[in-house]
């Protein structure tokens, strides 16, 4: 009997080890911005919240968050955050409304760049994307590591859109800095931009000049609600590295299966990467950020001029 009890205990112990190894995924979040970023995490409806729902990441700091393989939800970066005299915590971009560093069930107030995950979905695949449907506030890169199946491609939006943002969509801080870029839905509330009402299906909701601004800059990111075909990626049994303000050199090399993603990660004519600039100045900085040549800047200016000239709804910029 004693020997049987020992055997049962040993089997139980091995099962626990196996389950703990198989039923968890790691998200490694890295801040390569020149300023502090406060990631927020929101589980989908019916999914238990993670042990942490918000924290601070100093420049060049990283943090590993362990999530169940069945998890579904989104994460984002909050910027320009502070605490007032009463202790209330708030952020100019990406605020979750909790009044604290932990979001505790609160989602990102638009505009915010979102990384969205559904782990262990259909056919055991993870589905993930980076979405600008709710607007943009930070460059973000998602890189799957050690995965099998699916295409396991890198996705994200590594362009700095805050300075290029159309005037109609710009969000500025009190000192006039450009800190975020709204979606057309958030800015105007029009059903054709929100894919709601009569526009609530893929047959009637089409890309707008505004969503095409986002898509042109970040071809793999969601730009409007029905942008699925070029914006959803899959992998299996992977862990994920999420980088805020990724260095351009890393972004270029990070795709594990480049043949699986026909679209480029970014449009170089609309990407401005200023080495050493602060987040408040709209720069994407890191020690290894590449400087943009005069020719690239000129090309970007010409492309932007053509885009603005052809978009009647961009009234001024």
């Amino acid at each position: 009997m004693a020997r049987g009890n020992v055997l049962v205990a040993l089997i139980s112990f091995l099962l626990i080890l196996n389950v703990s190894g198989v039923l968890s995924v790691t998200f490694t979040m890295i801040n390569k911005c020149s300023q502090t970023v406060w990631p927020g995490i929101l589980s989908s409806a019916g999914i238990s919240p993670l042990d942490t729902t918000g924290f601070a990441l100093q420049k060049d700091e990283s943090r590993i968050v362990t999530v169940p393989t069945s998890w579904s939800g989104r994460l984002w970066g909050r910027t320009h955050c502070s605490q007032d005299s009463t202790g209330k915590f708030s952020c100019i971009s990406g605020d979750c409304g909790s009044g604290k560093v932990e979001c505790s069930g609160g989602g990102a107030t638009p505009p915010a760049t979102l990384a969205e995950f559904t782990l262990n979905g259909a056919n055991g695949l993870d589905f993930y994307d980076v979405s600008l449907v709710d607007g943009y506030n930070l460059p973000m890169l998602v890189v799957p590591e050690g995965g099998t199946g699916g295409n396991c491609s890198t996705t994200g939006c590594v362009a700095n859109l805050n300075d290029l943002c159309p005037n109609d969509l710009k969000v500025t801080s009190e000192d006039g800095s450009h800190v975020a870029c709204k979606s057309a839905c958030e800015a105007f509330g029009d059903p054709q931009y929100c894919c709601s009402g009569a526009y609530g299906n893929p047959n009637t909701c089409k890309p707008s000049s505004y969503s095409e601004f986002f898509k042109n800059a970040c071809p793999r990111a969601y730009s409007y609600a029905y942008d699925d075909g070029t914006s959803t990626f899959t992998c299996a049994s992977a862990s994920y590295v999420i980088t805020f303000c990724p260095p351009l050199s890393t972004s270029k090399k990070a795709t594990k299966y480049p043949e699986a993603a026909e679209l480029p990660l970014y449009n170089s004519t609309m990407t401005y990467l200023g080495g050493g600039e602060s987040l408040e100045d709209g720069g994407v900085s890191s020690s290894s950020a590449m400087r943009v040549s005069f020719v690239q800047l000129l090309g970007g200016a010409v492309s932007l001029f053509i885009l603005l000239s052809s978009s009647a709804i961009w009234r001024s910029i």
Side-chain angles (χ1 to χ4, degrees):
M1 177 66 75
R3 183 175 298 175
N5 290 338
V6 171
L7 181 60
V8 170
L10 179 59
I11 292 173
S12 300
F13 178 70
L14 292 174
L15 285 173
I16 291 172
L17 287 180
N18 183 57
V19 167
S20 64
V22 171
L23 298 185
S24 65
V25 172
T26 59
F27 286 172
T28 302
M29 294 183 224
I30 304 171
N31 178 18
K32 286 297 181 180
C33 303
S34 63
Q35 302 291 326
T36 303
V37 172
W38 287 261
I41 305 173
L42 177 66
S43 297
S44 298
I47 303 295
S48 298
L50 302 182
D51 291 339
T52 180
T53 58
F55 51 90
L57 273 183
Q58 305 296 326
K59 176 185 176 182
D60 293 326
E61 187 179 6
S62 65
R63 177 164 174 174
I64 295 175
V65 176
T66 300
V67 303
T69 57
S70 58
W71 187 77
S72 174
R74 54 178 52 181
L75 57 90
W76 66 97
R78 295 169 286 172
T79 68
H80 307 274
C81 303
S82 60
Q83 196 172 48
D84 67 17
S85 59
T86 68
K88 181 181 179 181
F89 179 83
S90 63
C91 305
I92 294 178
S93 81
D95 189 64
C96 59
S98 67
K100 300 177 181 179
V101 173
E102 293 274 352
C103 284
S104 303
T109 300
T113 310
L114 303 174
E116 302 176 312
F117 293 87
T118 297
L119 304 181
N120 197 24
N123 299 317
L125 293 173
D126 299 342
F127 293 78
Y128 59 98
D129 65 81
V130 169
S131 174
L132 308 181
V133 174
D134 289 342
Y136 166 101
N137 70 330
L138 276 176
M140 183 189 292
L141 190 72
V142 175
V143 181
E145 291 190 337
T148 59
N151 51 48
C152 295
S153 293
T154 294
T155 189
C157 181
V158 301
N160 173 21
L161 302 184
N162 288 335
D163 285 338
L164 294 176
C165 183
N167 281 349
D168 292 345
L169 308 182
K170 277 183 180 176
V171 177
T172 58
S173 61
E174 291 183 357
D175 65 3
S177 300
H178 305 148
V179 298
C181 189
K182 295 179 182 178
S183 67
C185 176
E186 175 71 12
F188 310 119
D190 192 312
Q192 67 175 317
Y193 298 136
C194 299
C195 293
S196 60
Y199 298 91
N201 66 77
N203 295 322
T204 57
C205 188
K206 302 299 182 181
S208 68
S209 296
Y210 289 107
S211 69
E212 288 176 348
F213 162 77
F214 291 111
K215 195 66 175 179
N216 187 37
C218 300
R220 295 190 198 174
Y222 262 90
S223 60
Y224 77 108
Y226 296 107
D227 196 10
D228 305 83
T230 59
S231 307
T232 300
F233 298 89
T234 58
C235 198
S237 304
S239 291
Y240 296 89
V241 178
I242 300 100
T243 305
F244 301 104
C245 306
L248 183 57
S249 56
T250 300
S251 306
K252 279 184 173 181
K253 300 173 182 178
T255 302
K256 182 177 179 181
Y257 301 112
E259 70 276 9
E262 297 180 359
L263 292 173
L265 188 59
Y266 63 89
N267 180 344
S268 62
T269 65
M270 294 192 68
T271 305
Y272 176 68
L273 293 164
E277 287 193 38
S278 68
L279 194 59
E280 280 87 349
D281 293 330
V284 182
S285 68
S286 75
S287 59
S288 59
M290 298 178 66
R291 296 182 181 275
V292 179
S293 68
F294 174 77
V295 173
Q296 287 173 307
L297 289 175
L298 182 60
V302 171
S303 298
L304 185 59
F305 176 80
I306 293 172
L307 182 63
L308 294 177
S309 299
S310 64
S311 300
I313 60 174
W314 286 6
R315 294 186 285 274
S316 63
I317 192 165

